[in-house]
Amino acid sequence: MKSFDIKTKIYFGDNALDRLADLPYKKALIITDPFVVKSGMLQMITYRLNDGYTEFDVFSDVVPDPPIEKISLGVKAMLDYDPDVVIAIGGGSAIDSAKSIREFATRASQKEVALIAVPTTSGTGSEVTSFAVISDKSKNMKYPLADYQLLPNMAIIDTDNMMTQPKGLTSASGIDV
């Protein structure tokens, strides 16, 4: 007999983002990239947080192959804001950034903070893995992080997120899968 358990609670399907209005958290740090903000996708998240009376701040300084410098800025933002939950919105880079930022910030503060992953692509599977990769561009190195503490507590996979992506990104994500 074979089985597996997964720590991450997964909500999926049409209107899965509505789960954000029912969160038990009162203060969220959203970690995402500039495209999600500029495209208006962020509003799909924030109006639901507003409906649930969850206060939020946004760290949108995520770039591909997250460099240590950006992770450090995110850790500072998280420690300054002191959220109950981190919500990662985007592809693998945004989710890996959020995992890394939360991990380093919680180690510094000794405060447990939940992590919710809201993928906008379907290639990396980062929303359900205990891994993240950060980069040190000065050394031309990538550092894998592996720890069960990196697993998101929740993943929300909503078809509306996938449908709003550029065609090229959707194609590349499909090839990743």
Side-chain angles (χ1 to χ4, degrees):
M1 175 180 0
K2 298 177 183 178
S3 69
F4 73 93
D5 290 324
I6 185 167
K7 174 186 167 190
T8 306
K9 176 89 171 181
I10 301 171
Y11 294 87
F12 61 95
D14 293 340
N15 302 311
L17 288 173
D18 290 347
R19 174 69 179 118
L20 292 168
D22 299 321
L23 295 178
Y25 311 108
K26 294 300 166 203
K27 197 171 181 184
L29 178 63
I30 297 170
I31 297 177
T32 192
D33 59 62
F35 174 78
V36 169
V37 175
K38 288 178 195 168
S39 69
M41 285 178 48
L42 184 62
Q43 293 172 341
M44 293 170 53
I45 305 300
T46 58
Y47 91 77
R48 288 171 168 101
L49 293 176
N50 285 329
D51 286 350
Y53 302 102
T54 301
E55 176 186 330
F56 62 87
D57 194 13
V58 178
F59 176 80
S60 61
D61 211 5
V62 171
V63 296
D65 299 318
I68 290 172
E69 297 81 13
K70 297 288 186 180
I71 300 301
S72 296
L73 291 173
V75 169
K76 181 177 179 343
M78 184 171 163
L79 291 172
D80 289 347
Y81 189 63
D82 192 30
D84 303 306
V85 63
V86 169
I87 302 174
I89 305 166
S93 292
I95 297 171
D96 280 5
S97 292
K99 288 177 175 181
S100 304
I101 290 166
R102 181 190 68 150
E103 180 65 14
F104 295 128
T106 56
R107 286 185 184 206
S109 69
Q110 299 298 304
K111 177 185 172 187
E112 290 296 319
V113 176
L115 175 60
I116 298 172
V118 182
T120 58
T121 62
S122 54
T124 68
S126 189
E127 68 274 10
V128 293
T129 65
S130 58
F131 303 97
V133 177
I134 57 176
S135 300
D136 184 344
K137 298 204 187 277
S138 69
K139 295 181 181 173
N140 200 28
M141 298 274 300
K142 288 188 177 187
Y143 299 104
L145 306 177
D147 192 310
Y148 285 113
Q149 296 302 317
L150 294 172
L151 277 167
N153 302 85
M154 182 188 306
I156 301 175
I157 303 166
D158 195 305
T159 54
D160 288 341
N161 278 344
M162 308 304 171
M163 301 304 285
T164 59
Q165 297 304 309
K167 289 180 182 179
L169 181 59
T170 302
S171 297
S173 296
I175 290 170
D176 277 352
V177 172

